[in-house]
Amino acid sequence: MLKKISPLLSGDLLKILCDMGHGDEIAIVDANYPAYSCKAAHYSAVPGIGSVDILKAILDIFPVDTYVQKPFQLMKVVEGDTTVPVIWEDYKKVLKAYGFNENHIGYIDRFGFYEYCDKAYCVLSSGERRLYGNIIIKKGVLQAYE
């Protein structure tokens, strides 16, 4: 155990987050996402842990890219699907607590999201069961003495 580090973040995941560089992306994906078939450089899993909790734990220690307009990406609802992704409101509340808003979020169609994740540094498979519980975060830089 470490002080000020969420126990949701395993040693392996902390190494992945630390090894990521400016512009690298991590995708937190829900339990329905085909994570094992992704071509991302790294894969990690936190089964049974909701993606909102994992998002909070990561944002506590992870610099987000402020040099791009939309450092966060969500998967758009598939055309014709009547699902209302209630998890998005939870994501937005978390992002707001870290100084971000709706303008910092982009939306990618389902298959585009899959392709995007194939190029991510890491796909992190959560235990999230709410539909459209997928979010991508672009890593930023640390300022001096941050």
Side-chain angles (χ1 to χ4, degrees):
M1 298 292 284
L2 297 170
K3 289 182 175 183
K4 300 182 182 178
I5 303 272
S6 170
L8 299 180
L9 303 176
S10 69
D12 291 339
L13 181 53
L14 286 169
K15 180 174 179 2
I16 288 169
L17 295 172
C18 186
D19 288 348
M20 291 174 68
H22 182 206
D24 283 338
E25 294 171 312
I26 184 167
I28 303 169
V29 297
D30 63 30
N32 292 302
Y33 192 87
Y36 287 111
S37 62
C38 256
K39 296 175 183 83
H42 298 278
Y43 169 81
S44 189
V46 285
I49 307 297
S51 57
V52 173
D53 291 333
I54 263 303
L55 176 63
K56 288 180 201 173
I58 288 174
L59 290 179
D60 277 345
I61 63 169
F62 192 83
V64 174
D65 196 339
T66 56
Y67 294 111
V68 296
Q69 288 184 346
K70 302 196 182 290
F72 304 97
Q73 300 293 327
L74 298 173
M75 182 191 290
K76 283 184 192 176
V77 175
V78 174
E79 190 174 327
D81 187 349
T82 59
T83 299
V84 175
V86 294
I87 193 168
W88 289 1
E89 292 310 312
D90 291 340
Y91 284 155
K92 290 172 187 176
K93 286 177 191 171
V94 171
L95 297 181
K96 183 177 180 183
Y98 289 88
F100 299 99
N101 60 48
E102 176 76 34
N103 295 329
H104 295 107
I105 302 170
Y107 297 85
I108 305 171
D109 69 84
R110 177 182 168 201
F111 293 108
F113 195 93
Y114 290 171
E115 290 174 14
Y116 206 98
C117 285
D118 279 344
K119 297 174 186 160
Y121 187 85
C122 180
V123 170
L124 177 59
S125 185
S126 75
E128 185 59 61
R129 304 232 2 226
R130 291 181 285 177
L131 300 179
Y132 297 97
N134 309 301
I135 186 167
I136 296 170
I137 313 162
K138 186 179 287 284
K139 188 172 186 181
V141 297
L142 289 176
Q143 300 300 319
Y145 306 107
E146 193 171 334

